[in-house]
Amino acid sequence: MAQSIKNLVLGSKIQDSKGNKFIVIAKNHYASNEVTLLSEQSVAQLQMSPTSSQNTEYPNTEVAYYLNNNYLKTLDDQLQAAIKVTSLPYSDSITASQLTDKTVYTKVFILSAKELGVNTPWLHNFPNETTISYMNDNKRTMFPYFTWLRTESSTSSTSHFFAIKGDYTLTSSLNTVYDVQPVFNLSDNVLVSDNVNGGYYSFIFNEPPIIQNINSIDGNYGSTTNISYVAIDNDDSNLT
């Protein structure tokens, strides 16, 4: 009736109770024993920041705020609670030649250029970042329109974030409206259905067992009696 999400192959699709759809894109990429999901489609069209600031840091952008507030609230309540906090590198652009690397702890975020396998001199890539092989192999079909990345320019005195689309075109901007495709991590012990329905697995969160068919109980105070019942657990947890 249920299985661990870690059993699913990369590219498997999952749907929550509210109809949000996701693709399994990585395992153990950001942290051990975690599975990374990418929204199957763009969930919004936003500016990274409404103004061209000299120093717009990713955690303070419109995109980061939207993902961890408006978007997060659209997910199934139990899925929201299950999403892990992820440690992400980001850059603080001070000048065109000086960027300070920092860390943000967040639940929902967007991919970087390096994670897509994109590495050019004018992208500020982080030394400890690694490519997500599934995204490297499929990026040309995953982003039909320009979609925001959390990677900044390494050659601009103002903060410019990059966006990518499927023909491998990159563009940099700050206050242009582009698509937003969220990413988040779950523990690999989260359960999903054994089978797909319409091409999608379903999340199965802990549900109380069903106890039924209890027999009539006859007995006297101080004496023993036999009670029989049937207990069913929908998510295959242990029954005690």
Short mmCIF file of all heavy atoms in Angstrom, two decimals, residues 71-125:
data_model
loop_
_atom_site.label_atom_id
_atom_site.label_comp_id
_atom_site.label_asym_id
_atom_site.label_seq_id
_atom_site.Cartn_x
_atom_site.Cartn_y
_atom_site.Cartn_z
N TYR A 71 3.61 30.46 -2.09
CA TYR A 71 3.61 29.14 -2.72
C TYR A 71 3.52 28.02 -1.69
O TYR A 71 2.76 27.07 -1.87
CB TYR A 71 4.87 28.95 -3.57
CG TYR A 71 5.04 27.54 -4.05
CD1 TYR A 71 4.20 27.01 -5.03
CD2 TYR A 71 6.01 26.70 -3.50
CE1 TYR A 71 4.33 25.70 -5.45
CE2 TYR A 71 6.14 25.39 -3.92
CZ TYR A 71 5.30 24.90 -4.89
OH TYR A 71 5.42 23.59 -5.30
N LEU A 72 4.29 28.11 -0.62
CA LEU A 72 4.32 27.05 0.38
C LEU A 72 2.92 26.75 0.91
O LEU A 72 2.56 25.60 1.15
CB LEU A 72 5.25 27.44 1.52
CG LEU A 72 5.60 26.37 2.55
CD1 LEU A 72 6.30 25.18 1.91
CD2 LEU A 72 6.45 26.96 3.66
N LYS A 73 2.10 27.79 1.05
CA LYS A 73 0.75 27.63 1.59
C LYS A 73 -0.20 26.92 0.62
O LYS A 73 -1.29 26.50 1.02
CB LYS A 73 0.18 28.98 1.98
CG LYS A 73 0.92 29.65 3.13
CD LYS A 73 0.42 31.06 3.38
CE LYS A 73 1.22 31.74 4.47
NZ LYS A 73 0.81 33.16 4.66
N THR A 74 0.21 26.78 -0.65
CA THR A 74 -0.65 26.08 -1.61
C THR A 74 -0.48 24.57 -1.55
O THR A 74 -1.25 23.83 -2.16
CB THR A 74 -0.35 26.53 -3.05
OG1 THR A 74 0.96 26.06 -3.44
CG2 THR A 74 -0.41 28.04 -3.18
N LEU A 75 0.53 24.10 -0.81
CA LEU A 75 0.80 22.67 -0.74
C LEU A 75 -0.05 22.00 0.34
O LEU A 75 -0.54 22.65 1.26
CB LEU A 75 2.29 22.43 -0.43
CG LEU A 75 3.30 23.08 -1.37
CD1 LEU A 75 4.71 22.74 -0.94
CD2 LEU A 75 3.06 22.66 -2.82
N ASP A 76 -0.20 20.70 0.22
CA ASP A 76 -0.85 19.90 1.24
C ASP A 76 -0.19 20.20 2.60
O ASP A 76 1.03 20.30 2.70
CB ASP A 76 -0.68 18.42 0.87
CG ASP A 76 -1.19 17.48 1.93
OD1 ASP A 76 -0.48 17.29 2.94
OD2 ASP A 76 -2.28 16.92 1.75
N ASP A 77 -1.03 20.36 3.65
CA ASP A 77 -0.51 20.74 4.97
C ASP A 77 0.57 19.79 5.47
O ASP A 77 1.59 20.20 6.03
CB ASP A 77 -1.64 20.80 6.00
CG ASP A 77 -2.59 21.97 5.75
OD1 ASP A 77 -2.22 22.87 4.98
OD2 ASP A 77 -3.70 21.96 6.30
N GLN A 78 0.36 18.49 5.27
CA GLN A 78 1.34 17.51 5.75
C GLN A 78 2.61 17.53 4.91
O GLN A 78 3.70 17.30 5.43
CB GLN A 78 0.71 16.11 5.76
CG GLN A 78 -0.38 15.96 6.81
CD GLN A 78 -1.08 14.61 6.72
OE1 GLN A 78 -1.71 14.30 5.72
NE2 GLN A 78 -0.96 13.82 7.77
N LEU A 79 2.47 17.86 3.64
CA LEU A 79 3.66 18.01 2.80
C LEU A 79 4.46 19.24 3.25
O LEU A 79 5.69 19.18 3.34
CB LEU A 79 3.27 18.14 1.33
CG LEU A 79 4.41 18.38 0.34
CD1 LEU A 79 5.46 17.28 0.43
CD2 LEU A 79 3.87 18.52 -1.08
N GLN A 80 3.78 20.34 3.54
CA GLN A 80 4.47 21.53 4.05
C GLN A 80 5.32 21.18 5.26
O GLN A 80 6.48 21.59 5.37
CB GLN A 80 3.45 22.59 4.46
CG GLN A 80 2.71 23.27 3.34
CD GLN A 80 1.78 24.34 3.86
OE1 GLN A 80 2.17 25.15 4.70
NE2 GLN A 80 0.55 24.37 3.37
N ALA A 81 4.72 20.43 6.19
CA ALA A 81 5.42 20.09 7.43
C ALA A 81 6.59 19.15 7.18
O ALA A 81 7.56 19.14 7.94
CB ALA A 81 4.45 19.46 8.42
N ALA A 82 6.52 18.35 6.12
CA ALA A 82 7.56 17.35 5.84
C ALA A 82 8.76 17.93 5.11
O ALA A 82 9.84 17.30 5.09
CB ALA A 82 6.97 16.20 5.02
N ILE A 83 8.63 19.10 4.51
CA ILE A 83 9.74 19.68 3.74
C ILE A 83 10.90 20.03 4.66
O ILE A 83 10.73 20.67 5.70
CB ILE A 83 9.27 20.92 2.96
CG1 ILE A 83 8.24 20.51 1.91
CG2 ILE A 83 10.45 21.63 2.30
CD1 ILE A 83 7.64 21.68 1.15
N LYS A 84 12.09 19.61 4.27
CA LYS A 84 13.28 19.83 5.08
C LYS A 84 13.83 21.24 4.84
O LYS A 84 13.68 21.81 3.75
CB LYS A 84 14.36 18.81 4.72
CG LYS A 84 13.91 17.37 4.79
CD LYS A 84 13.66 16.90 6.20
CE LYS A 84 14.92 16.72 6.98
NZ LYS A 84 14.70 16.18 8.34
N VAL A 85 14.50 21.77 5.83
CA VAL A 85 15.23 23.03 5.66
C VAL A 85 16.56 22.71 4.99
O VAL A 85 17.30 21.83 5.43
CB VAL A 85 15.45 23.72 7.01
CG1 VAL A 85 16.35 24.94 6.83
CG2 VAL A 85 14.12 24.13 7.63
N THR A 86 16.86 23.41 3.90
CA THR A 86 18.06 23.14 3.11
C THR A 86 19.05 24.29 3.26
O THR A 86 18.68 25.47 3.26
CB THR A 86 17.68 22.96 1.63
OG1 THR A 86 16.82 21.83 1.50
CG2 THR A 86 18.92 22.75 0.77
N SER A 87 20.32 23.94 3.36
CA SER A 87 21.40 24.92 3.41
C SER A 87 21.88 25.21 1.99
O SER A 87 22.32 24.30 1.28
CB SER A 87 22.55 24.36 4.25
OG SER A 87 23.69 25.16 4.14
N LEU A 88 21.78 26.48 1.56
CA LEU A 88 22.13 26.85 0.20
C LEU A 88 23.18 27.96 0.18
O LEU A 88 23.09 28.92 0.95
CB LEU A 88 20.91 27.38 -0.55
CG LEU A 88 19.78 26.42 -0.90
CD1 LEU A 88 18.64 27.20 -1.53
CD2 LEU A 88 20.27 25.34 -1.84
N PRO A 89 24.15 27.88 -0.72
CA PRO A 89 25.06 29.01 -0.89
C PRO A 89 24.41 30.11 -1.72
O PRO A 89 23.60 29.83 -2.61
CB PRO A 89 26.24 28.39 -1.64
CG PRO A 89 25.62 27.29 -2.43
CD PRO A 89 24.49 26.76 -1.60
N TYR A 90 24.74 31.36 -1.44
CA TYR A 90 24.34 32.46 -2.29
C TYR A 90 25.42 33.52 -2.21
O TYR A 90 26.30 33.47 -1.33
CB TYR A 90 22.97 33.02 -1.90
CG TYR A 90 22.95 33.83 -0.62
CD1 TYR A 90 23.06 35.22 -0.65
CD2 TYR A 90 22.81 33.21 0.62
CE1 TYR A 90 23.04 35.96 0.52
CE2 TYR A 90 22.78 33.95 1.80
CZ TYR A 90 22.89 35.33 1.73
OH TYR A 90 22.88 36.06 2.89
N SER A 91 25.39 34.48 -3.12
CA SER A 91 26.45 35.48 -3.17
C SER A 91 25.92 36.86 -2.85
O SER A 91 24.78 37.21 -3.15
CB SER A 91 27.13 35.49 -4.54
OG SER A 91 26.17 35.76 -5.54
N ASP A 92 26.76 37.65 -2.22
CA ASP A 92 26.48 39.04 -1.90
C ASP A 92 27.38 39.89 -2.79
O ASP A 92 28.58 39.97 -2.58
CB ASP A 92 26.77 39.29 -0.41
CG ASP A 92 26.54 40.74 0.00
OD1 ASP A 92 26.08 41.51 -0.85
OD2 ASP A 92 26.83 41.07 1.16
N SER A 93 26.80 40.47 -3.86
CA SER A 93 27.62 41.24 -4.79
C SER A 93 27.97 42.59 -4.21
O SER A 93 27.11 43.40 -3.98
CB SER A 93 26.91 41.50 -6.10
OG SER A 93 25.94 40.63 -6.38
N ILE A 94 29.24 42.81 -4.00
CA ILE A 94 29.73 44.08 -3.45
C ILE A 94 30.19 44.98 -4.60
O ILE A 94 29.78 46.12 -4.72
CB ILE A 94 30.87 43.84 -2.44
CG1 ILE A 94 30.33 42.98 -1.28
CG2 ILE A 94 31.43 45.15 -1.94
CD1 ILE A 94 31.39 42.52 -0.33
N THR A 95 31.03 44.43 -5.46
CA THR A 95 31.44 45.13 -6.68
C THR A 95 31.48 44.10 -7.80
O THR A 95 31.23 42.92 -7.58
CB THR A 95 32.84 45.76 -6.52
OG1 THR A 95 33.81 44.71 -6.41
CG2 THR A 95 32.91 46.66 -5.30
N ALA A 96 31.83 44.55 -9.00
CA ALA A 96 31.89 43.63 -10.14
C ALA A 96 32.92 42.54 -9.92
O ALA A 96 32.81 41.44 -10.46
CB ALA A 96 32.20 44.40 -11.41
N SER A 97 33.94 42.82 -9.15
CA SER A 97 35.00 41.84 -8.95
C SER A 97 35.02 41.26 -7.54
O SER A 97 35.90 40.48 -7.21
CB SER A 97 36.36 42.49 -9.24
OG SER A 97 36.56 43.58 -8.38
N GLN A 98 34.05 41.63 -6.72
CA GLN A 98 34.06 41.16 -5.34
C GLN A 98 32.67 40.64 -4.95
O GLN A 98 31.73 41.41 -4.83
CB GLN A 98 34.48 42.28 -4.39
CG GLN A 98 34.61 41.82 -2.93
CD GLN A 98 35.04 42.94 -2.02
OE1 GLN A 98 35.22 44.07 -2.46
NE2 GLN A 98 35.21 42.64 -0.75
N LEU A 99 32.58 39.35 -4.77
CA LEU A 99 31.35 38.72 -4.31
C LEU A 99 31.66 37.89 -3.08
O LEU A 99 32.60 37.10 -3.07
CB LEU A 99 30.73 37.82 -5.40
CG LEU A 99 30.11 38.52 -6.61
CD1 LEU A 99 31.16 38.83 -7.65
CD2 LEU A 99 29.02 37.66 -7.21
N THR A 100 30.89 38.09 -2.04
CA THR A 100 31.08 37.34 -0.80
C THR A 100 30.08 36.19 -0.76
O THR A 100 28.88 36.40 -0.95
CB THR A 100 30.86 38.25 0.42
OG1 THR A 100 31.80 39.32 0.37
CG2 THR A 100 31.05 37.46 1.71
N ASP A 101 30.56 34.98 -0.54
CA ASP A 101 29.68 33.82 -0.47
C ASP A 101 29.09 33.68 0.93
O ASP A 101 29.80 33.77 1.93
CB ASP A 101 30.45 32.54 -0.83
CG ASP A 101 30.83 32.51 -2.31
OD1 ASP A 101 30.27 33.33 -3.06
OD2 ASP A 101 31.67 31.69 -2.70
N LYS A 102 27.77 33.47 0.97
CA LYS A 102 27.07 33.30 2.23
C LYS A 102 26.20 32.06 2.17
O LYS A 102 26.18 31.35 1.16
CB LYS A 102 26.20 34.55 2.51
CG LYS A 102 26.98 35.83 2.70
CD LYS A 102 26.05 36.99 3.06
CE LYS A 102 26.80 38.27 3.32
NZ LYS A 102 25.89 39.39 3.67
N THR A 103 25.46 31.80 3.25
CA THR A 103 24.59 30.62 3.32
C THR A 103 23.21 31.05 3.79
O THR A 103 23.07 31.86 4.70
CB THR A 103 25.15 29.57 4.29
OG1 THR A 103 26.45 29.17 3.86
CG2 THR A 103 24.25 28.34 4.35
N VAL A 104 22.18 30.51 3.14
CA VAL A 104 20.81 30.74 3.57
C VAL A 104 20.19 29.38 3.89
O VAL A 104 20.49 28.37 3.24
CB VAL A 104 19.98 31.47 2.48
CG1 VAL A 104 19.91 30.68 1.18
CG2 VAL A 104 18.59 31.79 3.00
N TYR A 105 19.33 29.34 4.89
CA TYR A 105 18.62 28.12 5.27
C TYR A 105 17.15 28.32 4.91
O TYR A 105 16.49 29.23 5.43
CB TYR A 105 18.79 27.85 6.77
CG TYR A 105 20.24 27.65 7.14
CD1 TYR A 105 21.02 28.71 7.55
CD2 TYR A 105 20.83 26.39 7.04
CE1 TYR A 105 22.36 28.54 7.87
CE2 TYR A 105 22.17 26.20 7.35
CZ TYR A 105 22.92 27.28 7.77
OH TYR A 105 24.25 27.10 8.06
N THR A 106 16.65 27.50 4.01
CA THR A 106 15.32 27.74 3.45
C THR A 106 14.63 26.43 3.11
O THR A 106 15.29 25.39 2.95
CB THR A 106 15.45 28.63 2.19
OG1 THR A 106 14.16 28.98 1.73
CG2 THR A 106 16.21 27.90 1.09
N LYS A 107 13.33 26.47 2.98
CA LYS A 107 12.57 25.26 2.63
C LYS A 107 12.41 25.11 1.12
O LYS A 107 12.67 24.05 0.56
CB LYS A 107 11.19 25.29 3.30
CG LYS A 107 11.18 24.83 4.74
CD LYS A 107 9.77 24.50 5.20
CE LYS A 107 9.78 23.67 6.48
NZ LYS A 107 8.43 23.17 6.84
N VAL A 108 11.94 26.18 0.46
CA VAL A 108 11.68 26.12 -0.98
C VAL A 108 12.61 27.10 -1.68
O VAL A 108 12.83 28.21 -1.21
CB VAL A 108 10.20 26.46 -1.28
CG1 VAL A 108 9.89 26.17 -2.75
CG2 VAL A 108 9.26 25.66 -0.38
N PHE A 109 13.14 26.68 -2.83
CA PHE A 109 14.13 27.51 -3.52
C PHE A 109 14.09 27.22 -5.01
O PHE A 109 13.20 26.51 -5.49
CB PHE A 109 15.53 27.26 -2.93
CG PHE A 109 15.92 25.81 -2.88
CD1 PHE A 109 16.70 25.24 -3.88
CD2 PHE A 109 15.51 25.00 -1.82
CE1 PHE A 109 17.07 23.90 -3.83
CE2 PHE A 109 15.88 23.65 -1.76
CZ PHE A 109 16.66 23.11 -2.77
N ILE A 110 15.03 27.79 -5.75
CA ILE A 110 15.17 27.52 -7.18
C ILE A 110 16.57 27.00 -7.46
O ILE A 110 17.48 27.16 -6.66
CB ILE A 110 14.87 28.77 -8.03
CG1 ILE A 110 15.70 29.96 -7.55
CG2 ILE A 110 13.39 29.10 -8.03
CD1 ILE A 110 15.52 31.23 -8.37
N LEU A 111 16.74 26.37 -8.60
CA LEU A 111 18.01 25.75 -8.95
C LEU A 111 19.06 26.81 -9.33
O LEU A 111 18.73 27.94 -9.67
CB LEU A 111 17.82 24.79 -10.11
CG LEU A 111 16.96 23.55 -9.81
CD1 LEU A 111 16.63 22.82 -11.11
CD2 LEU A 111 17.66 22.63 -8.83
N SER A 112 20.31 26.39 -9.30
CA SER A 112 21.41 27.24 -9.75
C SER A 112 21.87 26.76 -11.13
O SER A 112 21.54 25.66 -11.57
CB SER A 112 22.58 27.16 -8.77
OG SER A 112 23.23 25.91 -8.88
N ALA A 113 22.66 27.60 -11.79
CA ALA A 113 23.18 27.24 -13.11
C ALA A 113 24.09 26.01 -13.02
O ALA A 113 24.03 25.11 -13.86
CB ALA A 113 23.94 28.42 -13.70
N LYS A 114 24.93 25.97 -11.99
CA LYS A 114 25.87 24.85 -11.84
C LYS A 114 25.12 23.53 -11.67
O LYS A 114 25.54 22.49 -12.19
CB LYS A 114 26.76 25.10 -10.62
CG LYS A 114 27.86 24.04 -10.40
CD LYS A 114 28.90 24.08 -11.49
CE LYS A 114 30.08 23.16 -11.21
NZ LYS A 114 30.90 23.62 -10.08
N GLU A 115 23.99 23.57 -10.97
CA GLU A 115 23.22 22.34 -10.78
C GLU A 115 22.62 21.84 -12.09
O GLU A 115 22.32 20.66 -12.24
CB GLU A 115 22.11 22.58 -9.75
CG GLU A 115 22.68 22.70 -8.34
CD GLU A 115 21.68 23.19 -7.32
OE1 GLU A 115 20.66 23.81 -7.71
OE2 GLU A 115 21.92 22.96 -6.12
N LEU A 116 22.47 22.73 -13.07
CA LEU A 116 21.98 22.34 -14.39
C LEU A 116 23.12 21.94 -15.32
O LEU A 116 22.89 21.58 -16.47
CB LEU A 116 21.20 23.49 -15.02
CG LEU A 116 19.91 23.91 -14.32
CD1 LEU A 116 19.28 25.09 -15.05
CD2 LEU A 116 18.93 22.77 -14.22
N GLY A 117 24.34 22.04 -14.84
CA GLY A 117 25.49 21.71 -15.67
C GLY A 117 25.95 22.87 -16.54
O GLY A 117 26.69 22.68 -17.50
N VAL A 118 25.52 24.10 -16.19
CA VAL A 118 25.90 25.29 -16.95
C VAL A 118 27.04 25.98 -16.22
O VAL A 118 26.91 26.36 -15.05
CB VAL A 118 24.71 26.27 -17.09
CG1 VAL A 118 25.13 27.49 -17.88
CG2 VAL A 118 23.54 25.56 -17.76
N ASN A 119 28.16 26.18 -16.90
CA ASN A 119 29.33 26.76 -16.24
C ASN A 119 30.09 27.62 -17.24
O ASN A 119 30.77 27.11 -18.12
CB ASN A 119 30.23 25.64 -15.70
CG ASN A 119 31.33 26.17 -14.80
OD1 ASN A 119 31.38 27.36 -14.51
ND2 ASN A 119 32.22 25.30 -14.37
N THR A 120 29.93 28.93 -17.14
CA THR A 120 30.64 29.86 -18.02
C THR A 120 31.34 30.90 -17.16
O THR A 120 30.98 31.10 -16.00
CB THR A 120 29.67 30.56 -18.99
OG1 THR A 120 28.78 31.39 -18.23
CG2 THR A 120 28.86 29.55 -19.79
N PRO A 121 32.32 31.63 -17.70
CA PRO A 121 33.10 32.59 -16.90
C PRO A 121 32.27 33.70 -16.27
O PRO A 121 32.64 34.24 -15.25
CB PRO A 121 34.10 33.15 -17.92
CG PRO A 121 34.21 32.12 -18.97
CD PRO A 121 32.85 31.50 -19.06
N TRP A 122 31.14 34.06 -16.89
CA TRP A 122 30.38 35.19 -16.36
C TRP A 122 29.28 34.76 -15.39
O TRP A 122 28.43 35.55 -15.00
CB TRP A 122 29.79 36.03 -17.48
CG TRP A 122 29.57 35.31 -18.76
CD1 TRP A 122 30.48 35.13 -19.76
CD2 TRP A 122 28.38 34.66 -19.19
NE1 TRP A 122 29.94 34.41 -20.78
CE2 TRP A 122 28.65 34.11 -20.46
CE3 TRP A 122 27.13 34.47 -18.63
CZ2 TRP A 122 27.70 33.39 -21.18
CZ3 TRP A 122 26.18 33.76 -19.34
CH2 TRP A 122 26.46 33.24 -20.60
N LEU A 123 29.28 33.49 -14.97
CA LEU A 123 28.38 33.01 -13.92
C LEU A 123 29.16 32.86 -12.63
O LEU A 123 30.28 32.36 -12.62
CB LEU A 123 27.78 31.65 -14.30
CG LEU A 123 26.86 31.60 -15.51
CD1 LEU A 123 26.44 30.16 -15.76
CD2 LEU A 123 25.63 32.47 -15.30
N HIS A 124 28.56 33.29 -11.53
CA HIS A 124 29.21 33.10 -10.24
C HIS A 124 28.78 31.74 -9.68
O HIS A 124 27.73 31.62 -9.05
CB HIS A 124 28.83 34.20 -9.27
CG HIS A 124 29.49 34.04 -7.92
ND1 HIS A 124 30.85 34.15 -7.75
CD2 HIS A 124 29.00 33.73 -6.70
CE1 HIS A 124 31.16 33.95 -6.47
NE2 HIS A 124 30.04 33.68 -5.82
N ASN A 125 29.58 30.71 -9.95
CA ASN A 125 29.29 29.38 -9.43
C ASN A 125 30.03 29.15 -8.12
O ASN A 125 31.11 29.67 -7.91
CB ASN A 125 29.69 28.31 -10.45
CG ASN A 125 28.79 28.33 -11.68
OD1 ASN A 125 27.58 28.49 -11.55
ND2 ASN A 125 29.38 28.17 -12.85
#
